[in-house]
């Protein structure tokens, strides 16, 4: 007697023919979605770090420009104009020095070329700049006594 049942797939096997493929496709979809979420998260973290670094650089460049303008005002108390931060990471950064009166100077720092909002504004008393660091009565140096 010849058994023909072995050549034909059983009923149970016929029901499960596509389930392995479906499970593999779902697993691949879940893995790819999690990989995309991780990549997006790291991209946002990199953008946050870059924005923070740029903000810190901007603060330092603004402070440096204010110090350059103060040094210029110390050497020439009638100075009015613009000082550009040429050799920095923000080459368009500039400080505008204006003197609304003979005793006061305003320093306005702009970090970008067409910026309308100032990154930093400082008002300086020019008379105080002239006397700062110069003492009227020089003191004699202290000597060590034994």
């Amino acid at each position: 007697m010849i058994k023909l049942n072995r050549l034909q797939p059983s009923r149970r096997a016929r029901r499960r023919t596509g389930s392995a493929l479906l499970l593999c496709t779902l697993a691949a979809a879940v893995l790819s979605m999690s990989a995309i979420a991780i990549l997006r998260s790291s991209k946002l973290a990199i953008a946050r770090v870059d924005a923070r670094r740029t903000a810190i650089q901007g603060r330092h460049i603004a402070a440096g420009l204010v110090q350059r303008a103060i040094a210029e005002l110390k050497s020439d108390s009638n100075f009015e104009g613009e000082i550009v931060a040429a050799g920095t990471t923000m080459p368009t950064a500039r400080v505008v020095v204006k003197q609304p009166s003979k005793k006061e100077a305003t320093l306005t720092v702009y970090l970008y070329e067409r910026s309308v909002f100032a990154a930093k504004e400082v008002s300086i008393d020019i008379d105080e700049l002239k006397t700062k660091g110069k003492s009227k009565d020089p003191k004699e140096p202290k000597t060590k006594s034994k």
Side-chain angles (χ1 to χ4, degrees):
M1 189 165 38
I2 301 174
K3 293 186 178 181
L4 294 173
N5 288 343
R6 288 188 181 232
L7 296 175
Q8 294 178 352
S10 66
R11 280 184 166 175
R12 213 175 201 188
R14 273 187 270 156
R15 283 190 213 148
R16 288 194 267 162
T17 51
S19 64
L21 180 62
L22 181 64
L23 284 174
C24 289
T25 305
L26 286 174
V30 167
L31 286 175
S32 64
M33 287 174 60
S34 63
I36 289 171
I38 290 170
L39 288 174
R40 176 180 268 168
S41 174
S42 65
K43 184 178 175 182
L44 290 174
I46 289 170
R48 251 191 329 267
V49 168
D50 189 43
R52 182 176 224 145
R53 180 181 47 81
T54 303
I56 291 170
Q57 281 180 348
R59 281 196 302 266
H60 287 296
I61 289 172
L65 282 171
V66 166
Q67 293 302 316
R68 281 179 63 184
I70 289 172
E72 189 69 36
L73 283 170
K74 278 185 179 181
S75 65
D76 179 16
S77 61
N78 295 325
F79 176 76
E80 267 192 309
E82 209 172 86
I83 299 172
V84 180
T88 64
T89 56
M90 293 182 176
T92 58
R94 66 193 188 285
V95 60
V96 178
V97 180
K98 291 183 182 177
Q99 292 190 9
S101 67
K102 291 285 184 186
K103 293 185 176 187
E104 184 184 17
T106 58
L107 311 176
T108 311
V109 179
Y110 299 100
L111 293 178
Y112 302 103
E113 189 175 356
R114 296 183 183 142
S115 180
V116 245
F117 298 108
K120 189 171 192 172
E121 288 183 344
V122 179
S123 181
I124 295 178
D125 186 10
I126 294 177
D127 291 335
E128 191 177 308
L129 280 180
K130 292 177 186 176
T131 60
K132 206 172 199 180
K134 299 176 186 175
S135 61
K136 295 176 184 174
D137 300 323
K139 297 179 182 176
E140 292 186 25
K142 294 181 181 179
T143 57
K144 291 183 181 179
S145 58
K146 290 186 178 180

